[in-house]
Amino acid sequence: MIGYLLRRLLSVVPTVWGIATIIFFLMFLIPGDPVRLMLGQHGDDEARVRITHELGLDKPIAVQYGLFLKRLMLGDLGDSYRQDRPVTGILIERIPATALLAFAAMLISIVAGVVAGLAAAVRQNKITDAVVMILSLIGISTPVFWLGLLLILVFASRTFDGAPVVFGWLPVSGYGEPGWDRIRHLILPALSLSAIGMGYIARMTRSSILEVIRQDYIRTAEAKGLSRFSVLMKHTLRNAMIPVVTIIGLDFAALLGGAVATETVFSWPGLGKVIVDAIRQLDGPVVEGGVMFIALIFVLVNICVDLLYVVIDPRIRLH
Amino acid sequence: MNMKNNSARRYGYRVITVLILLGLEFQVSGQDTFRFRLATDPPTLDPAQSTDTTSGAVVLKVFDGLVEFDPLTLEVVPAVAESFHVSEDGRIYTFHLRKGVSFHNGRPVVAEDIKYSLERTLDPQTKSPRTWVLNPIEGAREFTSGQADHVAGIRVVGESTVQLILTEPYAPFLAQLCMEAASLLPREECERWGDEFKSHPVGCGPFEFVEWQHDIRVVVKANPNYYGGVPRLKRVEFKVIPNEATAFEEYKAGGLDFLDQVPPGQLLRVRQQYPEDLHIWPYLSIYYIGFNHLEPPFRDNVLLRRAVNYAVDKEKICLAVKEGISFPARGILPPGIPGYNPGLEGYPYNPRKAGELLAEAGYPGGSGLPEITLWHNRDDRHRLIGECIQYYLGQIGIRIRLKNVEWAAYLEACEEGRPLLYRMGWVADYPDADNFLYILLHSSQAGSPGNYARYSNPEFDELVVRAQASTDPETRVALYRKAESIAVEDAAWLYVYYDREVALIKPFWENIILSPQGDFTIPLHVIRHKDGPPP
C-alpha cells in the first residue's frame, strides 16, 4: 500500500512537468503581446521595449523556458505580469473561496444525487424514476450561468419587471463576511454549481444500483430475510458506489480548479476567474501557475479515489 | 393524528418565520457609505501603473496631483498647487504649493515630494506604462533610459515652490499633469511598502485607503484633513461585480448606489421603471472604423473613403445598436473637447451620393473591388455594428467580410497595420484636442502610439504641431478646427458615433457631478445623502 502510494506520488512530478511545459508553449503560441495589453491603445514604444526587457520577454523562448523550469524547481511560480506580485500569493488568496464553494456544491451534489438515484432505482419505471431522470437531465443540460441568473431572479431579486418579488431572501452576489453572512452568500452559487454534478451522480447511482440489484448476493441477502432497507444500504448501495465515487472524484477535482461561470455570475472570488482573466490578459505566469495547481489537484484527487476503492470494496487490491 | 398535524404546522410556521427574517435582512444603504460598482478587479492602485478606468476609479479618490480638471468645465484648476504660472515662452511651469496639505500618514506635502513623485513615475524600476505623460519635461527621457541620475527639468525652489522646465513649449502639458501618473506620493510610504505600494496606496486625496480584497472590493474612508473640505461620505466601497445582469440585480436589491451601465436591451425598461435613477450625459469619446491608408484600395483614394462614409447610416446604428444613447459623429472631436466644431457637416447618410463617389473612385457598383475584411474585437456590440456596416456597404456594392479577434491579438494586428478596415474607439486621456488629433492621426504616431490608420497629411501634421506649441487657447482652438476639417475632408476614418455615459444612481444621493471624462472621474467627496446633515 505504502509502496503504491509512493509510486503514485512520484508520478505526479512528470505529469505536472508535462502540463507545465505544454501550457508554457501554448501561452507563447497565443497571438498578442502582454506588454501591448498593459500599455493600452496609446502605447509608448519606448515603454514597451523597456517593460518587455524588464519582464524578460525579449529573451529567446528556449532561455525563457529554462528560466521557467529553474524557478519551478525552486518552488517559485514567478510574478504576474499584470499585477506585478507573486503568483503563489494570488493563487493562495483564491483557494479558500474556491474550496468552500467546491465543498458546498459537492456536498449538495452527493446528498441529493445519491438519494435521488437511489429513489429512482428502487421505483424503476414509476413516476419517481421518470421525475428524477427528467430533473437530472435538466440539471446536466442547463447552462450554469443561466441557472445562476435564474436563482438570483427567484431568490435574491427584490423586484421583477417593477413588481416586488416575495422570495428576495438571499444576497445577489459577493463573498460576505465570515460566519453566517458568508453561508448566506454561499447558498445560491453552491446550488447553481451543484446542478450538473447532481444530475450525473443521480443517473450513475441509479444505473449502478440497477446493475447490482440483479446480482446473486442481493437475492441471497433478501432470501435470508433481511429487511429491504438493510439490503439496500448495506449490500446494494455500497457495491454500487465504485463508479459513483469515480464521477464524484473527477467532478470534485474540476470544482477545485474553479468554476468560472458561477464565480462570474455571483462575483465569487475564486480561482477559475483569475485564470480566465489571466488568459485574456496573456499573463503567462498566472496561467501557468493556475493550470499546474489544477493539474496537481486532479492527480491527487485521482489517487484519493483509487485509495477509496479499497475502502469501499475489500476485493480490490492496489498494485 | 391531529397532534401530529399541529406539530408539523408549528414547525412549518417556524421555518417560514426564519425565512421571512432572512428576507428582511435587506442591505440598507447608510447615509454615509457609497457603494460603487467596478466591472473588474483593479489591476493596480499605484498611480504610476494605472492605465485603465477601473484602477483610475480608486486611484483618483486616494491621490491628488498639483493640478486637476474641473469636472464640469474641464478646465485645469489648482489642486495641491495653490497657484501656477507658465512663462511667456511656454517652457517653465512654476507651482506654489498650498499650505496645510498632508499625506494620509499625516506628513505635510513639500516641494521635494513633487520631485520624488514625478521621478518615481519616470524611473525604469517603476515599470510605468505612462512615462509619456512626463516626457515633455527636460531630461525625462535621459533619466528613464539611465543616462542621468535625476530629471534636469524638475527644480525645487524652496519648500513650497517647484518648477517644471520643458524641452520645448507644449500646451497640453498642464492637462497631462492632471493624470494619475503625475499624482503625489510620500517617499517614506513608497520605500516602506516597496513593490507592495500598489496594494497599500497612500496619497493626499479626499479618501484614505482602508482595504483591498481582490475580486471582492476596495474600501476607502474619508480623509478628515482633506484640504478641499472633509468629504460628506464617510466611506466608499468599490464592489467588484463582473456580470452586468448580476450588477443590475444588486443595484435593484439595494447593494449598490452607483451602477456604471445598464444591461444591453434594458434601457427602455429602465427609463420607465427607474426614471429618477437614470443618468445619461456626454462622454469624451469617439467610435470609428479605420481605413488602412498604406494599402489599396483605400490608399490615395479619398473618393472611395468618402463613398464609404456617405453609405453608412450612423443614425440608425445609434438607434439600433446603442439604444439611442450615442449620436452620429460628424468629425473627430466630440462635444465637450475645446475645439469641438458644431458646424462640421461630416458625412450624412446619402447612398446615392455614395454610389456616385464609388463610381468616380473607379469602382462603379463596387465592381473591381475585392471583398474587404472588417476586423473587430470579440464583443457583441462590435459585431452588431460590423454587421450594420456590412449591410450598408453591401447596398452600394462593397462586399465586406467580418473577422472577429480576441483583444490581445486584435490590438497587435492594428498596431502592425494588418487590417484594411478595423473598428476602434477612443476615450480622452485628458480633455484636449491634442489627445485626439495628435495621437490618433499625426503621422509621427503611426502604429502603436495610436495612428493605426497610418493617416498622413503634412498640412494636418503642421497645424497640430503648431497647436501643441501655442500657449494661446483661442489660437489653439482655431488650429485644431482647421486640422480636424482637413482630416474630415480626407475621410481619414469612417466616423461612426460619439458616445454618452449611462449610469444608475440611487435618487437619495445629491450633488453628483457627472463628468464628461467618464463615471470613474466623478468626484465622490462632494456627494451627500439627501437626508444627511446640511452642508
Side-chain angles (χ1 to χ4, degrees):
Chain A
M1 173 84 166
I2 290 170
Y4 170 83
L5 195 61
L6 281 176
R7 273 200 309 281
R8 288 295 303 268
L9 285 175
L10 272 179
S11 74
V12 170
V13 178
T15 310
V16 172
W17 169 74
I19 286 164
T21 303
I22 291 169
I23 201 75
F24 178 86
F25 286 104
L26 276 180
M27 286 307 292
F28 184 72
L29 289 175
I30 295 177
D33 174 4
V35 181
R36 281 180 205 263
L37 277 181
M38 261 187 254
L39 293 171
Q41 272 173 261
H42 176 29
D44 177 2
D45 269 340
E46 281 174 30
R48 183 162 62 84
V49 172
R50 202 180 59 245
I51 295 172
T52 303
H53 175 71
E54 276 153 15
L55 294 176
L57 294 170
D58 54 348
K59 293 189 173 77
I61 184 69
V63 176
Q64 287 185 46
Y65 178 64
L67 291 171
F68 165 69
L69 282 187
K70 189 178 159 192
R71 270 201 332 255
L72 209 57
M73 280 188 279
L74 296 169
D76 177 10
L77 294 176
D79 287 356
S80 156
Y81 297 153
R82 188 76 175 179
Q83 299 184 37
D84 196 21
R85 59 196 191 105
V87 172
T88 318
I90 295 171
L91 299 181
I92 287 174
E93 244 167 40
R94 264 48 178 210
I95 288 170
T98 296
L100 181 63
L101 184 58
F103 276 106
M106 217 53 237
L107 188 71
I108 299 170
S109 292
I110 294 171
V111 173
V114 170
V115 169
L118 192 65
V122 170
R123 300 193 169 268
Q124 194 193 2
N125 299 331
K126 295 202 173 116
I127 186 81
T128 313
D129 187 20
V131 168
V132 168
M133 286 301 96
I134 289 168
L135 284 180
S136 64
L137 191 66
I138 292 172
I140 292 165
S141 343
T142 309
V144 173
F145 70 90
W146 186 83
L147 180 63
L149 288 174
L150 199 70
L151 288 172
I152 288 176
L153 282 174
V154 175
F155 294 108
S157 273
R158 306 298 191 259
T159 57
F160 181 71
D161 218 4
V165 172
V166 185
F167 303 116
W169 295 328
L170 294 165
V172 175
S173 67
Y175 191 45
E177 298 299 330
W180 176 235
D181 187 45
R182 182 145 309 157
I183 293 170
R184 291 182 72 235
H185 280 82
L186 177 66
I187 295 170
L188 292 186
L191 269 178
S192 157
L193 194 57
S194 65
I196 293 178
M198 213 188 298
Y200 278 123
I201 291 171
R203 289 183 155 251
M204 186 55 79
T205 307
R206 176 186 178 272
S207 64
S208 191
I209 285 178
L210 286 177
E211 205 173 293
V212 172
I213 223 160
R214 294 189 187 100
Q215 299 294 321
D216 290 342
Y217 57 83
I218 298 294
R219 203 174 306 129
T220 311
E222 281 170 350
K224 281 197 305 187
L226 289 176
S227 69
R228 183 126 197 251
F229 182 80
S230 181
V231 172
L232 260 182
M233 302 313 282
K234 285 187 183 164
H235 298 267
T236 315
L237 192 56
R238 190 167 172 183
N239 284 301
M241 282 318 277
I242 297 265
V244 179
V245 165
T246 312
I247 289 266
I248 290 171
L250 289 175
D251 204 18
F252 186 51
L255 290 183
L256 281 178
V260 184
T262 310
E263 286 168 10
T264 306
V265 169
F266 292 98
S267 311
W268 191 264
L271 204 56
K273 206 178 140 290
V274 167
I275 296 171
V276 170
D277 286 348
I279 293 170
R280 286 206 188 105
Q281 292 156 356
L282 301 182
D283 195 343
V286 176
V287 179
E288 287 145 16
V291 172
M292 275 191 291
F293 174 77
I294 294 172
L296 192 68
I297 292 285
F298 260 93
V299 177
L300 293 178
V301 168
N302 268 323
I303 294 174
C304 292
V305 168
D306 287 351
L307 296 177
L308 261 179
Y309 288 165
V310 184
V311 179
I312 295 169
D313 189 345
R315 292 171 300 180
I316 295 175
R317 291 284 174 271
L318 300 173
H319 295 290
Chain B
M1 189 70 184
N2 263 345
M3 273 180 71
K4 251 188 189 174
N5 273 349
N6 283 341
S7 128
R9 204 171 293 153
R10 268 205 301 276
Y11 181 72
Y13 288 151
R14 271 182 214 156
V15 170
I16 289 167
T17 311
V18 169
L19 289 176
I20 287 169
L21 285 174
L22 285 179
L24 287 176
E25 207 181 307
F26 279 75
Q27 296 171 54
V28 180
S29 177
Q31 292 184 2
D32 44 21
T33 299
F34 193 80
R35 284 149 317 163
F36 191 103
R37 182 239 181 172
L38 295 181
T40 62
D41 196 41
T44 182
L45 297 183
D46 182 340
Q49 305 285 348
S50 166
T51 58
D52 59 295
T53 54
T54 314
S55 302
V58 184
V59 165
L60 289 169
K61 312 301 176 287
V62 176
F63 294 92
D64 268 1
L66 286 167
V67 283
E68 65 185 7
F69 293 115
D70 180 296
L72 272 183
T73 64
L74 301 179
E75 279 174 28
V76 176
V77 294
V80 172
E82 190 170 41
S83 62
F84 55 86
H85 168 76
V86 186
S87 66
E88 263 183 38
D89 66 355
R91 278 188 61 229
I92 303 171
Y93 289 69
T94 307
F95 298 90
H96 301 287
L97 301 193
R98 204 182 284 269
K99 287 196 178 87
V101 180
S102 301
F103 287 114
H104 299 152
N105 64 3
R107 183 175 68 72
V109 177
V110 292
E112 272 296 335
D113 291 313
I114 284 90
K115 183 176 166 61
Y116 171 76
S117 304
L118 302 187
E119 284 189 343
R120 180 180 177 273
T121 295
L122 290 166
D123 189 338
Q125 297 287 322
T126 310
K127 290 186 256 181
S128 171
R130 283 282 169 91
T131 47
W132 60 264
V133 169
L134 303 172
N135 275 346
I137 301 174
E138 195 174 80
R141 289 176 192 271
E142 289 78 2
F143 178 73
T144 306
S145 62
Q147 293 166 20
D149 61 356
H150 70 285
V151 181
I154 305 176
R155 264 193 222 152
V156 174
V157 189
E159 196 164 271
S160 59
T161 304
V162 70
Q163 279 187 334
L164 303 179
I165 300 149
L166 309 191
T167 315
E168 54 192 39
Y170 182 68
F173 182 63
L174 268 182
Q176 288 186 192
L177 274 187
C178 299
M179 293 175 69
E180 296 99 297
S183 298
L184 306 184
L185 315 93
R187 175 196 285 264
E188 63 278 14
E189 297 293 338
C190 294
E191 287 175 352
R192 177 180 162 211
W193 291 105
D195 279 350
E196 280 303 301
F197 184 77
K198 60 182 161 297
S199 303
H200 300 87
V202 180
C204 57
F207 292 94
E208 293 177 24
F209 172 77
V210 176
E211 66 165 343
W212 181 8
Q213 291 176 283
H214 286 282
D215 269 322
I216 303 172
R217 64 182 171 186
V218 182
V219 180
V220 296
K221 66 175 184 183
N223 171 7
N225 304 311
Y226 187 53
Y227 63 87
V230 182
R232 307 304 301 273
L233 297 169
K234 280 196 179 146
R235 213 171 122 95
V236 179
E237 203 177 313
F238 298 90
K239 293 172 89 168
V240 182
I241 307 179
N243 187 281
E244 286 172 7
T246 310
F248 187 45
E249 290 305 325
E250 190 74 65
Y251 179 84
K252 289 195 315 190
L256 283 173
D257 296 298
F258 184 98
L259 179 60
D260 58 334
Q261 59 191 154
V262 172
Q266 299 276 334
L267 190 65
L268 192 63
R269 182 178 292 186
V270 168
R271 271 187 208 275
Q272 289 163 354
Q273 289 173 7
Y274 303 96
E276 281 184 57
D277 304 40
L278 183 65
H279 298 266
I280 299 175
W281 72 100
Y283 189 32
L284 303 180
S285 71
I286 181 164
Y287 191 101
Y288 64 93
I289 304 291
F291 301 113
N292 188 330
H293 286 252
L294 292 185
E295 300 289 336
F298 298 113
R299 186 183 65 196
D300 301 330
N301 199 339
V302 67
L303 295 174
L304 174 63
R305 299 195 301 264
R306 284 182 193 157
V308 169
N309 265 285
Y310 277 119
V312 176
D313 189 345
K314 296 109 183 172
E315 207 139 334
K316 284 250 171 67
I317 292 179
C318 291
L319 281 172
V321 183
K322 294 290 297 177
E323 299 179 80
I325 296 168
S326 310
F327 53 104
R330 292 179 181 165
I332 300 148
L333 300 177
I337 288 279
Y340 165 69
N341 186 355
L344 213 57
E345 273 192 23
Y347 296 92
Y349 179 52
N350 190 338
R352 195 180 52 79
K353 198 167 181 179
E356 286 166 11
L357 284 167
L358 188 63
E360 272 183 62
Y363 305 107
S367 68
L369 258 185
E371 187 182 57
I372 298 168
T373 304
L374 166 58
W375 292 48
H376 65 89
N377 56 304
R378 202 176 296 277
D379 181 283
D380 279 348
R381 184 167 51 100
H382 302 325
R383 182 181 50 75
L384 282 172
I385 292 171
E387 284 170 2
C388 291
I389 287 164
Q390 186 180 38
Y391 166 77
Y392 285 119
L393 295 187
Q395 295 295 300
I396 60 163
I398 301 177
R399 286 171 299 131
I400 295 290
R401 192 164 66 90
L402 297 179
K403 185 169 178 171
N404 186 354
V405 183
E406 241 351 289
W407 175 244
Y410 183 75
L411 190 61
E412 190 174 58
C414 290
E415 289 187 2
E416 288 172 358
R418 277 184 270 142
L420 279 182
L421 265 184
Y422 60 93
R423 84 94 216 159
M424 197 49 81
W426 180 254
V427 179
D429 290 318
Y430 49 89
D432 192 301
D434 184 74
N435 193 241
F436 284 78
L437 298 180
Y438 181 76
I439 287 171
L440 303 179
L441 289 165
H442 192 274
S443 60
S444 69
Q445 302 295 298
S448 57
N451 180 3
Y452 305 139
R454 272 81 178 163
Y455 170 71
S456 176
N457 181 324
E459 197 188 347
F460 172 91
D461 285 357
E462 196 233 320
L463 288 167
V464 173
V465 170
R466 269 175 57 201
Q468 275 188 344
S470 170
T471 47
D472 175 36
E474 282 179 23
T475 310
R476 293 188 72 219
V477 163
L479 289 167
Y480 283 131
R481 280 191 174 169
K482 201 167 172 200
E484 187 189 26
S485 65
I486 290 171
V488 171
E489 191 76 6
D490 278 348
W493 304 328
L494 159 55
Y495 309 99
V496 185
Y497 63 73
Y498 300 127
D499 222 343
R500 272 194 281 228
E501 279 277 46
V502 181
L504 289 170
I505 307 171
K506 291 286 178 195
F508 42 75
W509 296 107
E510 58 183 19
N511 209 25
I512 294 164
I513 302 170
L514 302 168
S515 168
Q517 282 193 279
D519 53 40
F520 72 103
T521 63
I522 291 175
L524 299 184
H525 61 286
V526 295
I527 291 178
R528 55 176 179 257
H529 197 282
K530 274 186 180 158
D531 299 332

